[in-house]
Amino acid sequence: MKSAWTRRPAKSAPAQPADTEPQDWDIDEGPQHVGGWSTGAQANTSAAFRWAAWGLLVLGPLLGAAAYLSVPAQAGPVQKRAAPTAPAATGAQGAAGFAQLFVAAFISAGEGDQDKLAAYYPAATSLRLDGDPDRRRGEQLTVVRLRQTHRGVWSVTVAARITDTGPSAQPSGDDRPDNKDNATATAAQAVRYFQVPVATAPAAGGASGYTALAMPAEVSAPERIKAPALVYGPMRPALPADPRTQAVTEFLNAYLTGAGELDRYLAPGTKLAPVAPAPYTGIAIDTLAIEGEKGTEPVTTVPDNGTTLRLLVALRATGHDEVRVPLTYALTLKARAGRWEIASLDGAPAPGPVTSGTPGPGTTASTAPTATPLNKEPSHA
């Protein structure tokens, strides 16, 4: 079988007639190749470039707008983001607990207990300690003041009642205790206050570390303030015929003694649980202070539905040992269907409106600790 492929004979140069004159132009013999490209390919490529250029010219604004809209807007120049820092109040609770432990160890420390104190204040290893260890014990330790003096430094005031565990000298025969013994007994019954400077900083594992900057300093008791005015009127006797007396008596009796169902005395939406186990066997309402009330006229009616009223209730509750205990409750009542119901058991009595130039309740101590220069405030204030 013959192959379908045949080899084309090589072209031979055409014979030039002897009388033909040389021509000064080239004869087009088909597409010419320039640098590996034919002239037809060059034409097609040029056309493609032209269309691509027009396409980019048309699509350029659209692509630019899309890119602009896809990038989040930034306010101002891009700045290097600072590493997050701990808030100023970080470590307040830990510093308070650390100071309590330090004061407890300080009160019971005696000769040879330097290492125990060095766990809180490293420089305590060089202290001189006298007396027997554990001759005194701190009881009822609690933090009564906490303020930030500098960044990372807290001043913690701890209250403690100190008990002497050693043998006490007893007078014999007709001997009577002298003034020194009386002073000692009085000091043992008093509550004492110790101020501790505590530094806090981040420690390993993301926790906070603490150390005392000095030994505790004994200071005076925190200053008492004048109680702010409240929204209630004067205390007056709780009249049995007053619907408000009836409402609070039924509620507190169920709340404190477990007598009756508590929910029947609550306004819709109010959720309270009785004290369990019931600590008292009975109650007696003594006086009431009603919001906005100034007179003592008897009240026997209930206002329209939805009316709310705040009041203070002073009572005596009888315990299982038959001892009466005075208690005071701040309550909010709400009228519904001709009767008063308990809308809330308030956490504290409601203060009255603050007049201009008069500091309101809670303004004597800042709720957010601030750095206060030590030379601007007494060390025990």
Side-chain angles (χ1 to χ4, degrees):
M1 181 177 180
K2 295 183 179 180
S3 173
W5 295 91
T6 58
R7 184 174 181 179
R8 179 178 297 178
K11 291 184 178 180
S12 58
Q16 292 288 342
D19 55 352
T20 302
E21 297 181 358
Q23 304 295 324
D24 58 357
W25 62 79
D26 295 329
I27 298 176
D28 184 8
E29 295 184 350
Q32 303 296 315
H33 296 272
V34 180
W37 288 65
S38 66
T39 55
Q42 286 181 314
N44 293 336
T45 303
S46 299
F49 282 146
R50 285 195 300 272
W51 283 109
W54 280 107
L56 291 176
L57 185 63
V58 174
L59 293 176
L62 298 178
L63 294 175
Y68 175 79
L69 295 176
S70 64
V71 177
Q74 296 182 354
V78 178
Q79 298 180 354
K80 184 178 179 180
R81 180 174 297 178
T85 57
T90 297
Q93 184 175 3
F98 183 87
Q100 278 184 273
L101 295 174
F102 187 21
V103 170
F106 163 76
I107 292 173
S108 63
E111 186 177 355
D113 284 343
Q114 285 85 349
D115 290 341
K116 293 182 180 179
L117 299 181
Y120 306 94
Y121 176 51
T125 54
S126 60
L127 291 177
R128 177 180 176 179
L129 300 177
D130 296 330
D132 297 330
D134 299 322
R135 75 189 187 282
R136 300 187 306 172
R137 182 175 63 250
E139 297 180 346
Q140 302 175 346
L141 273 72
T142 185
V143 174
V144 296
R145 190 174 187 214
L146 176 66
R147 65 188 179 95
Q148 189 174 26
T149 58
H150 296 85
R151 183 175 182 85
V153 178
W154 295 89
S155 175
V156 186
T157 303
V158 179
R161 193 183 300 277
I162 299 177
T163 302
D164 193 342
T165 60
S168 58
Q170 299 292 339
S172 60
D174 294 335
D175 294 339
R176 297 180 180 179
D178 55 16
N179 292 334
K180 182 178 179 180
D181 294 333
N182 291 334
T184 302
T186 302
Q189 297 175 359
V191 177
R192 298 162 68 175
Y193 301 87
F194 299 90
Q195 182 176 277
V196 183
V198 179
T200 178
S208 296
Y210 306 92
T211 188
L213 300 180
M215 292 293 291
E218 187 157 358
V219 296
S220 60
E223 183 181 358
R224 270 66 172 178
I225 65 170
K226 182 180 179 181
L230 304 178
V231 299
Y232 316 98
M235 279 287 185
R236 63 172 185 79
L239 303 178
D242 192 326
R244 299 166 297 190
T245 302
Q246 299 171 5
V248 297
T249 301
E250 293 171 346
F251 163 71
L252 290 172
N253 193 53
Y255 185 70
L256 296 174
T257 70
E261 296 181 4
L262 187 65
D263 291 344
R264 63 183 298 184
Y265 308 113
L266 303 180
T270 301
K271 300 295 182 182
L272 289 173
V275 180
Y280 304 105
T281 59
I283 65 166
I285 305 298
D286 292 330
T287 55
L288 297 176
I290 312 297
E291 178 182 7
E293 186 177 80
K294 298 181 179 180
T296 58
E297 297 80 7
V299 175
T300 58
T301 60
V302 178
D304 297 336
N305 290 351
T307 303
T308 59
L309 186 66
R310 293 177 290 187
L311 70 162
L312 280 179
V313 183
L315 60 97
R316 288 169 296 152
T318 303
H320 295 281
D321 55 0
E322 300 299 326
V323 175
R324 291 186 174 184
V325 180
L327 303 173
T328 303
Y329 288 87
L331 300 172
T332 299
L333 307 184
K334 190 173 185 179
R336 185 172 73 97
R339 62 189 293 260
W340 287 107
E341 296 176 329
I342 308 302
S344 67
L345 176 59
D346 302 332
V354 179
T355 59
S356 177
T358 303
T363 58
T364 57
S366 176
T367 56
T370 57
T372 304
L374 292 178
N375 58 357
K376 293 293 184 65
E377 185 173 346
S379 61
H380 64 275

